[in-house]
Amino acid sequence: MSSGKHFGKGSSKPALPDDGVPRLYSMRFCPYAQRAHLALLAKQVPHHSVYINLTEKPEWLVDVSPLLKVPALQLVAEKGEPSLIESLIIVEYLDEKYPQCPLLPKDPLQRAQDKILVERFSAATAAFYKTLVSDGDINDFWKVADIFESELAKRGTPYFGGSKPGFVDYMIWPWFERLAVLKFAVKERYSFDVKRFAKLNAWIELLLQDKVVKSFFVKPEDHVEFFSTRQAGNANYDLLA
Amino acid sequence: MSSGKHFGKGSSKPALPDDGVPRLYSMRFCPYAQRAHLALLAKQVPHHSVYINLTEKPEWLVDVSPLLKVPALQLVAEKGEPSLIESLIIVEYLDEKYPQCPLLPKDPLQRAQDKILVERFSAATAAFYKTLVSDGDINDFWKVADIFESELAKRGTPYFGGSKPGFVDYMIWPWFERLAVLKFAVKERYSFDVKRFAKLNAWIELLLQDKVVKSFFVKPEDHVEFFSTRQAGNANYDLLA
């Protein structure tokens, strides 16, 4: 992994070893990019991380991520060094390409059900974002969380993936890691109801101890600090560098 | 397949044979539902189609599609008779469950690239919809079509799937089948530039002759008629029944 320093406009393209391992173009505080990091780390796929200043993007970004998006996974060992985009497509690619530590179940029905669950979480990511930047209602986030609380009860396992974290766990985790940002944004209107979310609360505690989550963890106060600086128009990308 | 008649509020649940084959809850003019039909037909998976009046949904829909969505594929042979939703997830499920006539490539990189392409088409579906119902700019649709024109050139094959239609072809086709609706909506502002879209134009001609597309085809004037009645608030769901 890189030092966590973000490359911006005017920067030189990072000199990476010619080792053929995938390069993940990312932003340290982006929850979608975090999905790709978690999958790479869970599956122990060697990779390089290159962090991008999304406010002032480096001129060379177009060469490695033609749509200027992050996350982008550049496959330098493949012909033409193509880049993959879209966090879920990147993660499914990694799960198919690197069979070790599978994230999605093998059974087609269970795979589809896990994908549907993550798709349903997009209502939560939308509510999260709206609550932060406009007049979104935080209850819309909790309503989606209800679905996940019920699902944990239905599955009867500590993780959505069973006895260990899997696709659903890692794909929704980034927003739970950022609950402090939600709290910071809505102040006294925030309330995480531990009775309503008893199972999710236990799940959060377990994931906070998960070695994959820990290896890419950002502390609540740092998430809040990044959010505050971004809201103020001077995002402190290098907060952790 | 059913007669094409749509079940609405107050209707009795259709009596289907207890044969264990999947049941697709659909709406005859829904482009997303069409994706699931095309996959089922391409892969020759036996199934029942049940069409739903989306304006006045039948009370029993909740039993077969708990989120009241179409398309929903109910797997009556599976424990609990679960329903899958989200057109792309349904199609990927079918492709994994029924290996015959594969739609997605086997290679993880090519699979990811096909999925990214279909994901990029969502900008076209958004532009299509906005152009019909609000003040969308039809050029936003053509701009996405440019990507697909280039991609056909890059792949050097008549179909996105190679020598026959595959995942990308069938997943984007429903909107090309409905170009007449776009033309109807914008009148003289419509122009399909056959020079700009030479390859897409040839691709459209080929798909119009494809037996899968033909077996679920709706004529341009019928698409327009359905759109007009829906805009007028009295959608003629049973136009073809």
Side-chain angles (χ1 to χ4, degrees):
Chain A
M1 270 215 284
S2 86
S3 67
K5 202 163 154 43
H6 291 65
F7 289 84
K9 205 168 165 176
S11 65
S12 302
K13 207 168 173 168
L16 293 171
D18 188 18
D19 53 10
V21 310
R23 298 170 180 185
L24 182 64
Y25 295 90
S26 171
M27 193 280 275
R28 187 62 189 84
F29 300 93
C30 169
Y32 297 98
Q34 189 176 356
R35 286 174 163 177
H37 285 284
L38 293 174
L40 285 161
L41 293 166
K43 299 178 76 70
Q44 300 175 33
V45 176
H47 64 283
H48 299 289
S49 299
V50 180
Y51 295 107
I52 303 296
N53 178 325
L54 297 179
T55 316
E56 304 249 305
K57 294 176 181 176
E59 292 78 0
W60 48 261
L61 184 60
V62 69
D63 302 331
V64 294
S65 178
L67 298 174
L68 306 181
K69 286 192 164 192
V70 305
L73 185 71
Q74 192 189 17
L75 306 170
V76 293
E78 301 280 351
K79 192 185 157 199
E81 306 195 341
S83 284
L84 302 181
I85 51 170
E86 299 297 336
S87 61
L88 298 176
I89 295 175
I90 290 172
V91 172
E92 286 175 37
Y93 163 81
L94 290 169
D95 209 33
E96 291 166 7
K97 180 78 178 177
Y98 303 94
Q100 72 271 23
C101 314
L103 295 174
L104 274 162
K106 285 284 156 287
D107 174 66
L109 171 57
Q110 288 177 18
R111 288 171 75 83
Q113 288 174 324
D114 273 10
K115 290 181 198 172
I116 290 168
L117 209 49
V118 171
E119 178 58 36
R120 293 188 71 185
F121 194 72
S122 59
T125 67
F128 192 100
Y129 183 75
K130 276 190 202 160
T131 302
L132 296 195
V133 304
S134 57
D135 57 349
D137 182 352
I138 190 172
N139 289 314
D140 290 340
F141 182 83
W142 301 131
K143 280 179 203 158
V144 183
D146 283 332
I147 298 168
F148 287 78
E149 177 72 16
S150 307
E151 187 68 23
L152 275 179
K154 197 173 130 195
R155 296 192 179 197
T157 51
Y159 304 98
F160 293 97
S163 57
K164 63 188 197 114
F167 182 74
V168 176
D169 300 276
Y170 289 132
M171 296 305 99
I172 69 173
W173 170 254
W175 288 268
F176 288 96
E177 189 179 293
R178 286 161 179 75
L179 285 180
V181 181
L182 214 45
K183 186 174 182 177
F184 174 80
V186 304
K187 310 280 187 254
E188 68 283 356
R189 283 185 291 123
Y190 182 90
S191 67
F192 182 88
D193 185 336
V194 290
K195 275 179 107 167
R196 179 174 171 185
F197 300 119
K199 289 185 190 299
L200 268 180
N201 193 39
W203 171 83
I204 290 171
E205 292 304 319
L206 282 173
L207 281 195
L208 286 170
Q209 298 310 316
D210 178 67
K211 74 176 194 306
V212 172
V213 163
K214 283 168 90 170
S215 66
F216 200 74
F217 187 70
V218 173
K219 285 182 295 191
E221 57 270 34
D222 289 335
H223 275 304
V224 169
E225 171 71 8
F226 178 75
F227 169 72
S228 308
T229 58
R230 189 157 75 168
Q231 282 298 93
N234 59 340
N236 189 357
Y237 291 105
D238 293 338
L239 186 62
L240 307 180
Chain B
M1 271 215 284
S2 87
S3 67
K5 204 165 154 40
H6 290 67
F7 289 84
K9 205 169 167 176
S11 65
S12 303
K13 206 168 175 170
L16 293 171
D18 187 19
D19 54 11
V21 308
R23 299 170 179 184
L24 181 64
Y25 296 89
S26 171
M27 193 280 274
R28 188 60 189 87
F29 300 93
C30 169
Y32 298 97
Q34 188 176 357
R35 286 174 161 177
H37 285 284
L38 293 174
L40 285 161
L41 292 166
K43 299 178 76 71
Q44 300 175 33
V45 176
H47 63 283
H48 298 289
S49 297
V50 179
Y51 294 108
I52 303 296
N53 178 325
L54 296 180
T55 317
E56 305 249 302
K57 293 177 180 173
E59 292 77 359
W60 48 261
L61 183 60
V62 69
D63 303 332
V64 294
S65 178
L67 297 174
L68 306 181
K69 286 193 165 193
V70 305
L73 185 70
Q74 192 189 18
L75 306 170
V76 293
E78 301 281 352
K79 193 185 157 199
E81 306 195 341
S83 284
L84 302 181
I85 52 171
E86 298 298 334
S87 61
L88 298 177
I89 296 175
I90 290 173
V91 172
E92 285 175 38
Y93 163 80
L94 290 169
D95 210 33
E96 290 166 7
K97 180 79 178 179
Y98 304 95
Q100 72 270 22
C101 315
L103 295 174
L104 275 162
K106 286 283 156 287
D107 175 65
L109 171 57
Q110 288 177 20
R111 288 171 73 83
Q113 288 173 323
D114 273 11
K115 290 182 198 171
I116 290 168
L117 209 49
V118 171
E119 178 57 35
R120 294 188 69 184
F121 194 73
S122 60
T125 68
F128 193 100
Y129 182 75
K130 275 189 203 160
T131 302
L132 296 195
V133 305
S134 59
D135 57 349
D137 182 353
I138 189 171
N139 289 313
D140 291 341
F141 182 83
W142 301 132
K143 279 179 205 159
V144 184
D146 282 332
I147 298 168
F148 287 79
E149 178 71 16
S150 307
E151 187 68 23
L152 275 178
K154 197 173 131 196
R155 296 192 179 197
T157 51
Y159 304 97
F160 294 96
S163 58
K164 62 187 197 117
F167 182 74
V168 176
D169 300 275
Y170 290 132
M171 296 307 99
I172 69 172
W173 170 253
W175 289 268
F176 287 96
E177 188 179 292
R178 287 163 179 75
L179 285 180
V181 180
L182 213 45
K183 187 175 183 176
F184 174 81
V186 304
K187 308 282 187 257
E188 67 285 353
R189 282 186 291 124
Y190 182 90
S191 68
F192 182 87
D193 184 338
V194 291
K195 276 179 104 168
R196 177 174 173 186
F197 299 119
K199 290 185 190 299
L200 268 180
N201 192 40
W203 171 84
I204 290 171
E205 292 304 319
L206 282 172
L207 280 196
L208 286 171
Q209 299 309 316
D210 177 67
K211 71 176 197 305
V212 171
V213 163
K214 283 168 89 169
S215 67
F216 199 74
F217 188 69
V218 172
K219 286 181 295 191
E221 57 269 35
D222 289 335
H223 274 305
V224 169
E225 170 72 7
F226 178 74
F227 169 71
S228 308
T229 59
R230 190 158 73 166
Q231 282 299 94
N234 60 339
N236 189 356
Y237 290 105
D238 292 339
L239 187 62
L240 307 179

